[in-house]
Amino acid sequence: MRYVLALDQGTTSSRALLFDRESTVRAVAQREFDQIFPQPGWVEHNPEQIVSSQIVVAREALAQAGAKLADVAAIGIANQRETTIVWNRETGKPIYNAIVWQDRRTADFCERLRSEGNGPMIQQRTGLLIDSYFSASKISWILDSVPGARSLAEAGKLAFGTVDSWLVWKLTGGRVHATDVSNASRTMLFNIHTGDWDGDLLNLFRVPRSMMPEVRSSSEAYGEVSENGLEGIPLAGIAGDQQAALFGQRCTRPGLTKNTYGTGCFMLQNTGRRAVPSSNRLVTTVAWRIGNVTEYALEGSVFVGGAVVQWLRDGLGLIRKSEEIEALAQSVPDNGGVYFVPAFVGLGAPHWDSYARGSIFGLTRGTTAGHLARAAVESIAYQVADLLDAMRRDSGDAVEELRVDGGAAANDSLMRFQADILGVPVVRPAVTETTAMGAAYLAAMAVGFWGNEVGPPAGGRDRHFEPRMPASAARSLRERWSEAVSRAKNWESAH
């Protein structure tokens, strides 16, 4: 067998990548799907559209490479995490749209849980802070808001899954209802120390255990695809997209750190077999489980990273294509005193403010589209720097370099600015498809594609960005950014 197929199911598109034995990408197919915004702060997807788009691109990738089904050793899945789907076990149909990780409809519910003193218990067991970002409150909302849902759930007729579980269910014709530990650890219902669903948390969120998928390791044979033109290929690896990227970046030793620049930004640091509790409002998460060994990571999540560029494109019309942002941002020598806090759906780590909203400060008559573009790009780097500061304090590890991937990592000026603001080198790999690569590696390991090895030799570095800005200048910029963030906080509830 010549290939491993990675399904990279993201927030705005479904992608499929075919890797050969040298870890070279032989084919890529991508299809965007609808983003549904029923109310301000609400974000949904059509679950059937997620599946259909993923199947279409998988077939397209095979066709591009002229590959037959028998050429594919295994399928690995990397998926947008926390996004919540509930479906009827008998019909296989969702009872509501997928509620996306960005969705804030349960912010008030989560605030009530915090005020009732549930925070320490939830953080101790799950490694997570109470927030509507995670799946638990989304499941509760569906059961309480969809007519008849709770009685169906209590009768054992409903199934819950994050996107990986939903894909596995559909690809296996409903034979397999499972998830891996990395995705389970993002639900706020999974005890990361016992490795199982937590009965007290299920009761707190009023979620019947019968809804929950079986939790399995990140690299094992889950079952074979039974339909959809991919018949017979083993599903053999699953990881949440950020854990997959950590694995794909070869951050397999404690202290190694990566940041993915996607719709949001996600920084993970491998902490080995130790689940490091956070005192700086990060989350402790499962990185992966291979065999009987579970490894952990510290994680900080920025809700709006590359999405700020999409907003400049689609919302304001400042650019026609996302790639144009770099040239527009570089059309001015600096940000002109403009700071852009892209808190469109609140602020993630380390602030965790569901009521913050997007804000732009420092506008003058001299402000141009270039200044707005530059402030938007710089906002991504500032948010990442806030994460790394918190991570350093929690782990006590000196971060010697930041490994980067994701769409915006291709922006050289952003990477240079990122290195300047962090004060550490930024390293971009030669192959930036690290999320898909991580999923492919996990699947390949399960079927012995590379013998006993994780994968072929690492592909090397594309660019190494050294910090050049004086530390005093970087500190001054970050102080101004922090002031802007403080003013954007608590906007929604301030009135």
Side-chain angles (χ1 to χ4, degrees):
M1 294 186 180
R2 301 159 59 195
Y3 304 113
V4 176
L5 178 63
L7 306 183
D8 183 2
Q9 204 300 301
T11 306
T12 58
S13 69
S14 294
R15 305 170 73 238
L17 296 91
L18 201 62
F19 292 88
D20 64 17
R21 288 191 175 275
E22 283 67 52
S23 200
T24 302
V25 178
R26 300 301 298 270
V28 182
Q30 178 171 347
R31 181 162 298 196
E32 292 190 357
F33 52 85
D34 295 338
Q35 306 294 304
I36 303 165
F37 307 103
Q39 295 183 30
W42 292 29
V43 190
E44 297 177 0
H45 294 156
N46 180 334
E48 300 286 7
Q49 201 176 47
I50 289 175
V51 173
S52 61
S53 62
Q54 191 65 76
I55 290 168
V56 165
V57 294
R59 290 174 180 160
E60 284 180 6
L62 294 177
Q64 278 180 34
K68 303 181 181 67
L69 296 183
D71 293 332
V72 183
I75 291 174
I77 295 173
N79 57 283
Q80 55 166 316
R81 306 168 305 166
E82 299 95 16
T83 294
T84 298
I85 304 170
V86 175
W87 65 93
N88 189 303
R89 290 183 181 276
E90 296 173 352
T91 66
K93 299 291 185 184
I95 66 167
Y96 190 79
N97 275 341
I99 301 182
V100 180
W101 57 272
Q102 299 163 312
D103 190 282
R104 311 307 291 167
R105 76 187 65 186
T106 59
D108 289 342
F109 173 68
C110 290
E111 183 60 42
R112 189 170 79 246
L113 287 177
R114 276 192 293 273
S115 67
E116 291 170 354
N118 293 293
M121 183 269 286
I122 287 177
Q123 184 175 13
Q124 192 280 323
R125 296 191 189 187
T126 69
L128 309 178
L129 302 171
I130 296 176
D131 195 81
S132 54
Y133 173 36
F134 306 108
S135 310
S137 63
K138 303 178 194 297
I139 306 171
S140 289
W141 187 92
I142 291 174
L143 295 184
D144 288 335
S145 303
V146 176
R150 187 161 290 285
S151 59
L152 285 172
E154 290 169 354
K157 294 183 177 180
L158 296 185
F160 152 74
T162 40
V163 171
D164 59 306
S165 295
W166 172 240
L167 287 175
V168 169
W169 174 279
K170 297 295 279 187
L171 290 171
T172 62
R175 293 194 323 276
V176 181
H177 182 211
T179 189
D180 92 297
V181 285
S182 71
N183 279 292
S185 74
R186 312 300 298 182
T187 61
M188 215 156 67
L189 296 170
F190 182 76
N191 190 314
I192 62 173
H193 309 290
T194 66
D196 197 7
W197 302 116
D198 189 285
D200 292 337
L201 294 176
L202 291 170
N203 290 335
L204 179 64
F205 287 93
R206 299 175 64 221
V207 176
R209 184 180 284 268
S210 61
M211 294 180 66
M212 307 306 288
E214 178 188 2
V215 182
R216 294 165 70 170
S217 75
S218 308
S219 178
E220 67 172 88
Y222 279 68
E224 291 186 352
V225 181
S226 60
E227 49 195 78
N228 303 306
L230 302 170
E231 291 84 358
I233 305 175
L235 290 165
I238 296 176
D241 51 10
Q242 302 314 317
Q243 287 95 331
L246 189 71
F247 199 74
Q249 284 271 33
R250 307 296 179 91
C251 293
T252 53
R253 289 186 288 105
L256 294 177
T257 308
K258 72 90 198 172
N259 189 68
T260 296
Y261 298 81
T263 303
C265 288
F266 302 90
M267 183 181 291
L268 275 76
Q269 181 179 97
N270 187 318
T271 61
R273 300 187 187 188
R274 188 169 61 108
V276 176
S278 175
S279 303
N280 291 281
R281 312 200 78 195
L282 300 177
V283 301
T284 307
T285 195
V286 175
W288 46 71
R289 187 168 76 211
I290 298 172
N292 295 318
V293 177
T294 299
E295 296 195 35
Y296 298 90
L298 279 169
E299 175 174 336
S301 305
V302 167
F303 294 154
V304 176
V308 71
V309 177
Q310 293 175 326
W311 182 74
L312 291 181
R313 181 193 68 191
D314 302 335
L316 293 189
L318 287 188
I319 51 177
R320 289 172 301 166
K321 297 178 181 177
S322 296
E323 301 77 47
E324 296 172 4
I325 190 68
E326 185 167 11
L328 183 57
Q330 290 300 302
S331 68
V332 292
D334 53 43
N335 64 15
V338 178
Y339 289 81
F340 188 163
V341 183
F344 300 139
V345 289
L347 287 169
H351 310 287
W352 294 108
D353 185 343
S354 294
Y355 303 104
R357 286 296 178 265
S359 312
I360 303 174
F361 299 95
L363 297 176
T364 68
R365 282 293 299 272
T367 300
T368 66
H371 292 117
L372 282 178
R374 185 150 185 148
V377 170
E378 290 182 351
S379 76
I380 301 172
Y382 288 130
Q383 291 180 96
V384 169
D386 289 347
L387 292 183
L388 191 63
D389 281 354
M391 206 157 275
R392 284 166 165 156
R393 291 193 295 269
D394 271 341
S395 70
D397 290 333
V399 176
E400 296 178 1
E401 64 181 25
L402 181 66
R403 301 180 183 184
V404 299
D405 54 66
N411 184 325
D412 285 356
S413 58
L414 171 59
M415 294 300 99
R416 279 193 292 270
F417 187 71
Q418 186 72 84
D420 285 340
I421 289 298
L422 293 178
V424 299
V426 168
V427 178
R428 185 172 64 199
V431 178
T432 57
E433 297 286 4
T434 54
T435 299
M437 192 177 290
Y441 286 171
L442 289 166
M445 286 173 62
V447 298
F449 187 67
W450 285 296
N452 294 323
E453 299 300 316
V454 169
R461 300 177 169 191
D462 167 36
R463 288 288 302 276
H464 192 274
F465 300 89
E466 291 283 346
R468 296 183 298 190
M469 182 183 291
S472 59
R475 187 165 53 250
S476 176
L477 288 171
R478 290 197 61 193
E479 286 171 356
R480 201 71 171 134
W481 160 257
S482 296
E483 174 66 19
V485 169
S486 70
R487 296 185 183 211
K489 286 183 174 179
N490 205 36
W491 174 263
E492 192 61 26
S493 60
H495 62 282

